[in-house]
């Protein structure tokens, strides 16, 4: 059954999810605040700043006007940077107030809002009136946009408190190279998806300093341990962190040079200043804002997160990467099972 779907956000991941939905036979409207990007998508059918050497289907239409993008839609996918989700959701809610529709809502943004410490589903719940939505879900997992563009086999999770909504999105996205599982642990899926970017920063820094596979494996393993500790403190299922949105997402983001968080960490490891790294990237590095939120949450909740703390020290110019590694390695011995 063909659905009308609005994709709010035309970055690398948003545009590739839109491409999947078009390929699956749905009517897709992509919204971007950049008129230049909208014009490129509609005329050249490319998104050159985000996805190189890829042509999008002519059926995929882009809009700079959110009212046009949301007109009569069945589903809305939010895929803007996490720190912009609230403002975009507020704008969408104003448009929905003028329409007689009640769409399914899903997001694919991986981050925690600074200040409020809200997960993205919480932001959407706060900003989109209940009368304007059926439910709120999240899609997450190990999914580099560049690999999806190459039609690499990709597995992700659709999570919601309402399993029928998770199954709804499972059907919308599934095809022969993009497989979707369902999960009812939206807390764990969102925390895993957000905090893996912190571990990717650390993994990139290790490689930038010349460390090898042993160090990367150690970082990823202990990174999952502290992500799980924080998630469980919020009521997440610990098993979620051994799944696609936990272990799976950490593996791909902490090992792939396509990951902007990994690339940012790599440059930090080579001695570049954070401001220069951000400027050179030209795209949002989610792990930076998420690191600040996770660091503050760990202190508030009494959750030990040594890797997060070490990366926080580097980002805030309190330690060099080498010194932060020395601090981690000098910690008192303890049981792995704690």
């Amino acid at each position: 059954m063909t659905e009308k779907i609005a994709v709010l956000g035309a970055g690398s991941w948003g545009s590739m999810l839109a491409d999947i939905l078009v390929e699956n036979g749905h009517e897709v409207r992509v919204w971007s605040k950049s008129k230049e990007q909208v014009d490129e998508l509609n005329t050249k059918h490319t998104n050159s700043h985000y996805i190189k050497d890829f042509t999008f289907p002519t059926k995929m239409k882009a809009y700079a006007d959110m009212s046009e993008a949301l007109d009569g839609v069945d589903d809305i996918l939010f895929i803007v940077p996490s720190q912009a989700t609230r403002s975009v959701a507020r704008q969408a809610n104003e448009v929905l107030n003028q329409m007689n529709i009640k769409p399914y809502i899903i997001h694919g943004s991986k981050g925690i809002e600074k200040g409020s410490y809200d997960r993205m589903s919480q932001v959407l719940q706060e900003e989109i009136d209940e009368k304007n939505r059926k439910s709120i879900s999240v899609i997450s997992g190990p999914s580099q946009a560049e690999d999806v563009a190459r039609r690499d086999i990709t597995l992700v999770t659709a999570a919601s408190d309402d399993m029928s909504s998770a199954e709804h999105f499972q059907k919308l996205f599934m095809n022969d190279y993009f497989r979707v599982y369902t999960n009812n642990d939206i807390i764990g899926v969102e925390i895993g998806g957000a905090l893996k970017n912190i571990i990717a920063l650390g993994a990139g820094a290790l490689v930038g300093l010349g460390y090898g596979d042993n160090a990367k494996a150690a970082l990823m393993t202990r990174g999952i341990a502290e992500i799980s500790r924080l998630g469980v403190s919020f009521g997440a299922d610990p098993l979620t962190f051994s799944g696609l949105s936990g272990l799976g997402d950490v593996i791909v983001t902490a090992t792939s040079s396509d990951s902007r968080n990994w690339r940012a960490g790599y440059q930090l490891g080579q001695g570049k200043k954070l401001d220069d790294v951000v400027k050179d990237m030209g795209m949002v590095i989610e792990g930076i804002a998420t690191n600040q939120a996770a660091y503050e949450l760990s202190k508030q909740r009494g959750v030990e997160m040594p890797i997060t703390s070490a990366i926080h020290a580097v980002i805030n110019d309190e330690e060099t990467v080498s010194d932060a590694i020395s601090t981690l390695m000098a910690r008192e011995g303890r049981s792995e099972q704690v």
Side-chain angles (χ1 to χ4, degrees):
M1 185 174 179
T2 300
E3 300 248 330
K4 294 181 180 178
I5 305 167
V7 178
L8 306 185
S12 53
W13 190 220
S15 57
M16 288 316 307
L17 286 176
D19 178 69
I20 290 170
L21 291 167
V22 173
E23 185 174 327
N24 289 357
H26 303 292
E27 179 185 324
V28 180
R29 297 99 169 268
V30 178
W31 172 85
S32 170
K33 65 179 182 180
S34 168
K35 188 177 185 305
E36 205 173 61
Q37 188 181 27
V38 167
D39 290 342
E40 181 186 351
L41 283 166
N42 285 334
T43 57
K44 298 180 180 179
H45 310 295
T46 59
N47 194 10
S48 55
H49 182 67
Y50 293 96
I51 297 288
K52 307 293 184 185
D53 303 318
F54 186 84
T55 302
F56 290 88
T58 57
K59 289 181 180 179
M60 191 175 91
K61 303 300 181 185
Y63 299 85
D65 185 329
M66 191 177 289
S67 296
E68 292 181 3
L70 296 185
D71 186 23
V73 297
D74 303 298
D75 311 272
I76 303 174
L77 168 60
F78 286 83
I79 197 82
V80 296
S82 58
Q83 305 309 313
T85 297
R86 188 175 297 277
S87 62
V88 174
R90 192 171 293 154
Q91 184 180 350
N93 191 58
E94 291 174 0
V95 173
L96 290 170
N97 280 332
Q98 309 304 316
M99 298 179 175
N100 187 29
I101 58 173
K102 194 172 183 179
Y104 290 94
I105 304 292
I106 190 169
H107 80 85
S109 303
K110 297 178 179 180
I112 295 174
E113 189 178 48
K114 292 190 294 186
S116 71
Y117 311 119
D118 280 348
R119 293 174 284 106
M120 294 302 101
S121 65
Q122 293 174 304
V123 172
L124 294 172
Q125 188 173 27
E126 290 165 10
E127 296 299 337
I128 299 179
D129 297 339
E130 193 170 351
K131 66 182 178 63
N132 292 332
R133 55 179 165 84
K134 283 190 174 74
S135 60
I136 295 173
S137 305
V138 56
I139 186 167
S140 189
S143 48
Q144 297 287 19
E146 294 80 5
D147 282 349
V148 174
R150 292 187 284 266
R151 298 305 188 247
D152 193 15
I153 291 173
T154 302
L155 277 64
V156 298
T157 293
S160 179
D161 293 333
D162 172 26
M163 281 303 291
S164 65
S165 296
E167 291 165 357
H168 169 79
F169 286 109
Q170 181 182 49
K171 293 173 184 174
L172 290 190
F173 281 103
M174 283 260 289
N175 61 30
D176 59 357
Y177 63 88
F178 196 80
R179 183 170 175 80
V180 184
Y181 288 82
T182 59
N183 194 316
N184 63 0
D185 179 20
I186 195 167
I187 296 173
V189 168
E190 288 184 309
I191 288 178
L195 270 60
K196 57 92 181 181
N197 286 323
I198 301 171
I199 307 308
L201 284 170
L206 285 177
V207 177
L209 277 170
Y211 286 95
D213 292 339
N214 287 359
K216 287 184 289 185
L219 181 84
M220 288 188 283
T221 305
R222 296 311 302 167
I224 283 288
E226 66 181 59
I227 290 171
S228 180
R229 283 197 294 270
L230 184 65
V232 168
S233 79
F234 282 99
D237 183 345
L239 290 176
T240 297
F241 302 104
S242 63
L244 291 167
S245 62
L247 178 62
D249 217 351
V250 166
I251 290 172
V252 74
T253 314
T255 61
S256 173
S257 59
D258 284 332
S259 161
R260 69 190 67 164
N261 290 280
W262 185 95
R263 295 201 307 272
Y266 181 81
Q267 292 179 58
L268 290 172
Q270 292 191 313
K272 289 188 178 181
K273 294 295 184 183
L274 179 62
D275 288 345
D276 294 331
V277 171
V278 173
K279 183 179 178 181
D280 291 345
M281 194 68 60
M283 291 184 275
V284 174
I285 305 167
E286 290 279 16
I288 295 173
T290 299
N291 175 262
Q292 183 66 34
Y295 175 79
E296 292 171 4
L297 279 172
S298 71
K299 300 303 180 186
Q300 287 183 13
R301 304 183 73 84
V303 176
E304 190 176 16
M305 300 184 73
I307 296 170
T308 297
S309 296
I311 293 170
H312 180 268
V314 171
I315 287 174
N316 288 277
D317 283 329
E318 297 167 3
E319 285 189 314
T320 65
V321 176
S322 294
D323 287 343
I325 292 171
S326 296
T327 299
L328 284 171
M329 294 301 292
R331 295 171 66 241
E332 185 177 350
R334 56 179 294 175
S335 169
E336 184 185 13
Q337 295 167 303
V338 176

